[in-house]
Amino acid sequence: MALSASISGGGASRLLSPAALHHDSLSSCKLEEKTKISSSSNLSLLPRSPATTAFRTGCGRKESYRIHASSSAAKAILLDESKEKVLLPKGDLWSVHKFGGTCVGTSQRIKNVADIIANDSSEGKFVVVSAMSKVTDMMYDLINKAQSRDDSYVAAADAVFEKHKLTAMDLLDGDDLATFLSRLHHDINNLKAMLRAIYIAGHATESFSDFVAGHGELWSAQMLSYVVKKNGVDCQWMDTRDVLIVNPTSANQVDPDFVESEKRLEEWFAQNPCKAVVATGFIASTPENIPTTLKRDGSDFSAAIMGAMLRARQVTIWTDVDGVYSADPRKVSEAVILKTLSYQEAWEMSYFGANVLHPRTIIPVMRYDIPIIIRNIFNLSAPGTMICRPSVDEEFSGLIADAPVRGFATIDNVALVNVEGTGMAGIPGTASDIFAAVKDVGANVIMISQASSEHSVCFAVPEKEVKAVADALRSRFRQALDAGRLSQVAVIPNCSILAAVGQKMASTPGVSATLFNALAKANINVRAIAQGCSEYNVTVVIKREDCVRALRAVHSRFYLSKTTISMGIVGPGLIGATLLDQLKDQAAVLKEDFNIDLRVMGITGSRTMLLSNSEIDLLRWRELMEEKGEVADLDKFANHVQGNHFIPNTVLVDCTADSGIASHYYDWLRRGIHVVTPNKKANSGPLDEYLKLRALQRQSYTHYFYEATVGAGLPIISTLRGLLETGDKILQIEGIFSGTLSYIFNNFVGTRAFSDVVSEAKEKGYTEPDPRDDLSGTDVARKVIILARESGLKLELSDIPVQSLVPEPLRASASAEEFMNQLPQFDQDIAKERQAAEAEGYVLRYVGVVDVTRAEGRVELRRYKKDHAFAQLAGSDNIIAFTTSRYKEQPLIVRGPGAGAQVTAGGVFSDILRLASYLGAPS
């Protein structure tokens, strides 16, 4: 059966014989549509003056490649005046853009691309475009269906036609639309004829596959060129198979033939002079004019090759991300966009799997120091990442100016092969034999590591290739294995490779130490290590299951500030819940303005706890506690919050009044966990435990803050410490320390009954659920003992005499409700005391006193004259008077709100920020 198919693509037409179904050869004949340029016509691309071609700071270039020619002289720049060909100008006047499939995935996106081209002020614009999103996959699917003899290839081809037809109808009109649809229809018919031939043969050669797959670029380039023209730009489209010549290699790659390609580029330009070129990416031709592709990331490679041939000012790769990240953002949420990368850094990161560029994309532009810029077409405000050569005179600057490690990349699904034996040492050719065997099975060696003893060589290969490699090695070294010169050829499966990349690593001591310290703290074992003498990267092999943890650990160690803090909140009650709300409201400001990154990794109550491996969403923590909460376990909770080794610092915030929680402080501090709390139990508990706790705090670098234990949000502890640290001598501390009792006695005036005021305070939330906890004075006594100990007195809580306001008969009441019901019976007793004080011009105030000179403390109801500072309070304010050697005649007064969840949580928050300041945050 004789079959032939005529295949066209834009300006080229090719005939395929039946024999071509079984051979990688296509006869090629060009349809030449030559346009003669008269010698009097103006050159469309004129070189800019040197003043307009200054290059950007931070990236040096070996040569400027500027053409110093006047407008009149430009008319005379001809390849061959007799043939009237215009010389292709090269240099900084050109900018090259590459748009991937997602960038031209819809008609609207194609319009957006055309706008970007129109807004580019460069004199010459060269645009490389991929096929529309998913089209290349559709084209390969056509081939697969045809060679599988699946009749649905016809319907699939029609679907390809409809996709491009509908897009064209949305973009074009008039003659442009008619011309494109005619070409599209012609191409699809030819493709169907070819697919029919493949269907009959049941096989498609590589050349056939490459030819079919490249049609998506032909159609997208034509459509985009018409839209660019509609925007008023002088534009032509280029089928790069007519220009770009490549030589296939044995490694399923291609090498550009720059000499021949530049010659053809100049010929193409002579026939198609214009200010903008829209060219097909991905496709090219062999020296025999057989269609081929540039394989993986071919469109990026096309743009780099064209940029090099034009000596362009820059090559911009437009994609759907804001730039190159310091790590895979899908694995590391803290990954940041890098403003700049050197060619070598980008090369290393891309080799190790980072979504940057294929290493070969960098090669053409490196030759001429042409920068590559990675930008996001969906976020034009983002500057992207510039890949260039650092200037000699300027320090290479990145997002973090002095970061020696710029990025981290990983390769999963690899296996280690270890060839080991004493017979290897000093025997020439052993390594050569090993890797010759690996080459014979076509495996790719990703990393090699050998100890100086030469006792073993280990290397990493893709896991899918490891069995063939191991079998080949055992076969090659069978005699050595049997004789014992080699002890084993061992395979270690389920591995991943982690690479740290940075050009400044070579000049920065301690990078490896920091890297391995981060891995050690994350409890990750390193199985193999490799580092080249250039020191651009350090590569380690780890277990696959540890890969994400390892990546987060090393990234955080190099990229997170010292003031990133992992937080655990103990007690999400009134104060704890308020603190969480305050953290939610302020976290973004702290991070942006003060470089303080507070991450709540766990919240625990007495029954339920919520844990997170990244960070709890504080907008939803209450519902998350209900949905994902687990049984509370304080030890597990502390281990989890500290166990996140990706964050340098850990703090546990105890918002309870539980002595059981307080008993854990010593262990937490000993383990390096900072503690912040308003809980008074630890500092007012047994003296020996308090002294032990404070001694540990002073000996270690771990911080223990408890400002809110005495005055809620008032700076009482810090004021006392400031006085002592500056050499002042404390004589007496006297104060109204209870916001509850302050409110009660500020409102216990006139004819009001004491029980009514207590009831009102309870209704307003000033008292504990059982008001006896306030009226007993125990809480004030704990504050007094804390201040006494801070002042240097070694007192126990039992040493403090306390005047209780709870009537003796009611101290054993079964419930708070019963107590409140019976309290009015005792109103008369305290009313008499108030009346007696008022008769003498005094008021009653419930105070705590630390008498340092007598080494004692007490809590009692005292009388004060109406002009005394303690008599001037309102609401629930606290007031504390420090009488010292410096402030003897006029005590130092601290006054302000001393009760309520907001001010107490604010005091705790202030301690957290004080901790951040001590850890390195700006003050």
Side-chain angles (χ1 to χ4, degrees):
M1 182 177 191
L3 288 172
S4 65
S6 174
I7 299 165
S8 69
S13 178
R14 298 168 175 85
L15 186 67
L16 296 177
S17 68
L21 294 171
H22 304 286
H23 299 85
D24 281 341
S25 63
L26 288 170
S27 59
S28 173
C29 59
K30 264 189 171 182
L31 286 177
E32 298 191 359
E33 300 173 358
K34 301 199 179 222
T35 304
K36 298 216 172 182
I37 311 297
S38 67
S39 59
S40 61
S41 64
N42 288 329
L43 185 64
S44 62
L45 284 170
L46 298 180
R48 292 177 294 176
S49 67
T52 63
T53 55
F55 196 62
R56 64 187 71 244
T57 302
C59 291
R61 293 186 62 177
K62 294 177 182 176
E63 303 176 52
S64 66
Y65 297 104
R66 298 186 181 95
I67 302 172
H68 301 273
S70 66
S71 177
S72 59
K75 296 179 183 179
I77 303 177
L78 302 175
L79 280 173
D80 186 338
E81 289 191 17
S82 63
K83 295 183 180 180
E84 299 180 331
K85 291 184 178 178
V86 179
L87 176 65
L88 171 64
K90 299 179 181 180
D92 283 357
L93 73 167
W94 284 101
S95 66
V96 176
H97 298 265
K98 179 263 174 176
F99 295 94
T102 54
C103 299
V104 291
T106 65
S107 57
Q108 183 57 52
R109 290 179 182 178
I110 292 174
K111 291 177 184 177
N112 295 342
V113 167
D115 290 340
I116 291 173
I117 297 168
N119 292 329
D120 182 352
S121 59
S122 302
E123 293 181 52
K125 291 166 275 197
F126 196 100
V127 180
V128 175
V129 64
S130 298
M132 293 180 69
S133 181
K134 307 298 183 185
V135 167
T136 300
D137 291 339
M138 295 171 74
M139 302 306 289
Y140 278 118
D141 185 54
L142 290 178
I143 299 166
N144 293 334
K145 280 182 164 62
Q147 63 185 1
S148 301
R149 293 176 174 164
D150 181 347
D151 291 327
S152 65
Y153 79 84
V154 177
D158 290 337
V160 172
F161 174 79
E162 284 299 316
K163 179 179 178 71
H164 289 85
K165 174 186 173 183
L166 293 174
T167 304
M169 291 177 69
D170 195 26
L171 290 170
L172 311 176
D173 52 32
D175 291 343
D176 290 344
L177 177 60
T179 301
F180 175 79
L181 290 180
S182 175
R183 287 177 177 174
L184 176 65
H185 191 269
H186 183 256
D187 289 346
I188 292 292
N189 285 339
N190 281 343
L191 284 174
K192 285 181 179 179
M194 173 180 276
L195 292 168
R196 176 63 181 168
I198 294 172
Y199 178 93
I200 293 171
H203 172 69
T205 66
E206 183 180 357
S207 293
F208 271 36
S209 297
D210 286 348
F211 188 87
V212 173
H215 271 73
E217 279 73 15
L218 294 170
W219 298 324
S220 61
Q222 291 174 63
M223 285 191 290
L224 177 59
S225 68
Y226 284 129
V227 178
V228 172
K229 281 182 182 177
K230 284 176 66 176
N231 286 351
V233 179
D234 177 17
C235 178
Q236 298 284 347
W237 84 276
M238 173 192 289
D239 180 349
T240 48
R241 295 174 303 182
D242 297 335
V243 172
L244 184 53
I245 304 302
V246 296
N247 294 298
T249 69
S250 58
N252 195 31
Q253 298 291 340
V254 294
D255 291 332
D257 183 340
F258 281 98
V259 174
E260 179 63 23
S261 297
E262 288 198 38
K263 177 183 174 184
R264 294 195 181 197
L265 179 62
E266 290 175 351
E267 290 175 355
W268 185 94
F269 185 83
Q271 299 166 28
N272 303 278
C274 56
K275 292 185 177 180
V277 179
V278 178
T280 56
F282 185 56
I283 57 177
S285 293
T286 67
E288 296 78 25
N289 293 318
I290 298 172
T292 188
T293 67
L294 301 184
K295 316 306 176 189
R296 179 188 166 197
D297 296 315
S299 294
D300 289 354
F301 197 20
S302 299
I305 295 168
M306 291 300 180
M309 290 198 295
L310 291 168
R311 315 297 191 264
R313 183 178 76 256
Q314 65 185 37
V315 175
T316 304
I317 307 292
W318 292 91
T319 180
D320 55 0
V321 294
D322 286 344
V324 180
Y325 284 85
S326 55
D328 187 340
R330 295 168 298 182
K331 298 177 180 177
V332 181
S333 59
E334 298 85 6
V336 297
I337 298 291
L338 300 171
K339 291 182 179 177
T340 54
L341 277 176
S342 70
Y343 293 122
Q344 289 80 5
E345 287 169 336
W347 198 331
E348 295 279 359
M349 288 182 69
S350 60
Y351 176 79
F352 285 102
N355 187 21
V356 184
L357 293 169
H358 194 280
R360 63 187 180 145
T361 303
I362 300 168
I363 297 172
V365 295
M366 272 186 70
R367 182 179 177 186
Y368 301 106
D369 290 337
I370 300 168
I372 299 175
I373 301 174
I374 312 294
R375 291 196 62 189
N376 189 351
I377 193 169
F378 305 115
N379 183 14
L380 298 181
S381 62
T385 298
M386 177 181 286
I387 299 170
C388 61
R389 189 185 305 276
S391 66
V392 176
D393 299 329
E394 296 180 39
E395 183 179 0
F396 186 57
S397 61
L399 186 66
I400 297 178
D402 296 319
V405 178
R406 305 304 312 288
F408 301 90
T410 58
I411 303 176
D412 292 324
N413 302 317
V414 301
L416 269 182
V417 179
N418 185 43
V419 182
E420 185 176 313
T422 55
M424 295 173 57
I427 305 299
T430 303
S432 173
D433 290 342
I434 290 172
F435 293 110
V438 175
K439 178 179 180 293
D440 288 344
V441 297
N444 177 36
V445 177
I446 304 171
M447 187 203 87
I448 305 169
S449 179
Q450 180 178 10
S452 59
S453 67
E454 301 182 48
H455 178 68
S456 68
V457 174
C458 75
F459 54 93
V461 296
E463 200 154 36
K464 63 184 179 181
E465 300 173 354
V466 72
K467 185 179 184 304
V469 169
D471 290 345
L473 289 171
R474 291 184 183 116
S475 175
R476 176 71 65 94
F477 294 101
R478 173 54 54 199
Q479 185 178 353
L481 287 165
D482 292 342
R485 295 195 304 275
L486 289 184
S487 58
Q488 64 173 345
V489 175
V491 172
I492 304 173
N494 302 318
C495 294
S496 290
I497 287 178
L498 169 64
V501 175
Q503 193 161 339
K504 290 182 69 177
M505 289 167 59
S507 59
T508 307
V511 173
S512 293
T514 303
L515 178 75
F516 291 114
N517 181 260
L519 293 172
K521 288 197 171 185
N523 197 32
I524 291 167
N525 183 45
V526 175
R527 291 180 163 177
I529 305 165
Q531 179 177 6
C533 62
S534 67
E535 297 185 56
Y536 286 163
N537 87 69
V538 176
T539 305
V540 298
V541 179
I542 55 179
K543 291 181 182 177
R544 184 192 304 161
E545 63 202 57
D546 292 335
C547 182
V548 174
R549 266 195 321 128
L551 183 61
R552 291 174 180 171
V554 296
H555 185 274
S556 65
R557 188 55 56 94
F558 284 95
Y559 270 89
L560 295 186
S561 72
K562 291 181 180 179
T563 49
T564 299
I565 302 175
S566 172
M567 298 177 60
I569 307 298
V570 183
L574 185 59
I575 294 173
T578 305
L579 173 64
L580 287 165
D581 290 340
Q582 291 178 355
L583 287 167
K584 173 197 68 179
D585 295 338
Q586 196 65 11
V589 174
L590 289 173
K591 189 171 183 179
E592 184 175 346
D593 295 346
F594 300 98
N595 197 27
I596 299 174
D597 190 0
L598 304 177
R599 305 187 186 186
V600 178
M601 311 300 290
I603 303 170
T604 184
S606 57
R607 297 184 180 86
T608 307
M609 67 180 180
L610 174 64
L611 306 178
S612 171
N613 289 322
S614 54
E615 185 175 4
I616 293 174
D617 182 358
L618 296 185
L619 289 170
R620 302 178 57 240
W621 71 266
R622 291 176 176 85
E623 57 187 276
L624 289 173
M625 285 282 283
E626 294 180 4
E627 295 172 5
K628 300 183 179 180
E630 55 188 276
V631 177
D633 181 331
L634 195 58
D635 289 336
K636 180 180 178 182
F637 178 82
N639 290 336
H640 172 83
V641 176
Q642 188 187 30
N644 189 324
H645 300 287
F646 324 130
I647 300 178
N649 309 291
T650 303
V651 60
L652 291 177
V653 183
D654 175 19
C655 295
T656 73
D658 191 323
S659 57
I661 303 294
S663 67
H664 287 79
Y665 293 177
Y666 183 85
D667 180 57
W668 292 345
L669 291 169
R670 185 179 55 80
R671 290 167 52 188
I673 301 174
H674 308 289
V675 176
V676 172
T677 184
N679 186 345
K680 293 176 276 292
K681 298 298 172 63
N683 286 12
S684 61
L687 180 62
D688 59 338
E689 292 184 13
Y690 166 80
L691 294 175
K692 183 180 174 184
L693 188 64
R694 292 304 305 275
L696 175 64
Q697 179 198 1
R698 293 188 183 100
Q699 292 167 6
S700 69
Y701 291 97
T702 312
H703 299 283
Y704 172 41
F705 293 118
Y706 45 86
E707 182 72 75
T709 57
V710 176
L714 297 179
I716 297 172
I717 298 290
S718 56
T719 299
L720 174 57
R721 284 189 176 177
L723 293 170
L724 292 170
E725 289 169 1
T726 57
D728 203 353
K729 183 179 179 181
I730 307 298
L731 304 176
Q732 178 176 283
I733 303 172
E734 181 181 13
I736 298 173
F737 294 103
S738 169
T740 302
L741 294 172
S742 176
Y743 179 86
I744 289 173
F745 283 98
N746 287 338
N747 290 276
F748 182 42
V749 293
T751 59
R752 296 196 67 183
F754 185 74
S755 61
D756 289 342
V757 179
V758 173
S759 180
E760 179 182 273
K762 187 174 186 298
E763 290 173 4
K764 291 188 175 183
Y766 287 125
T767 73
E768 295 293 333
D770 188 338
R772 285 175 294 182
D773 293 339
D774 298 295
L775 297 175
S776 68
T778 303
D779 185 67
V780 176
R782 289 189 179 279
K783 295 178 180 181
V784 167
I785 201 70
I786 290 171
L787 291 176
R789 290 174 175 178
E790 289 288 317
S791 301
L793 302 182
K794 296 182 178 179
L795 299 176
E796 294 281 7
L797 186 61
S798 58
D799 297 330
I800 308 295
V802 179
Q803 180 183 350
S804 175
L805 298 178
V806 180
E808 183 73 33
L810 301 185
R811 292 175 188 177
S813 296
S815 66
E817 185 179 357
E818 181 183 339
F819 166 75
M820 292 302 298
N821 289 335
Q822 296 182 16
L823 185 60
Q825 301 174 22
F826 301 89
D827 281 344
Q828 231 14 66
D829 295 339
I830 196 166
K832 289 179 182 179
E833 192 168 350
R834 181 195 65 192
Q835 290 167 2
E838 289 178 346
E840 297 179 15
Y842 289 86
V843 297
L844 296 178
R845 294 293 183 262
Y846 194 79
V847 299
V849 180
V850 178
D851 192 333
V852 179
T853 56
R854 295 184 179 182
E856 64 180 23
R858 55 191 175 275
V859 176
E860 59 191 12
L861 191 63
R862 282 189 173 185
R863 295 182 178 187
Y864 293 91
K865 289 186 177 181
K866 292 185 178 180
D867 60 353
H868 192 280
F870 286 15
Q872 309 300 315
L873 293 185
S876 61
D877 280 4
N878 283 5
I879 187 168
I880 295 88
F882 293 92
T883 303
T884 71
S885 297
R886 296 176 188 158
Y887 297 96
K888 186 179 292 185
E889 302 299 326
Q890 186 79 18
L892 176 63
I893 301 290
V894 177
R895 172 180 170 174
Q902 287 290 340
V903 293
T904 304
V908 175
F909 200 167
S910 179
D911 269 350
I912 294 169
L913 296 182
R914 186 176 293 114
L915 170 64
S917 178
Y918 281 23
L919 294 174
S923 58

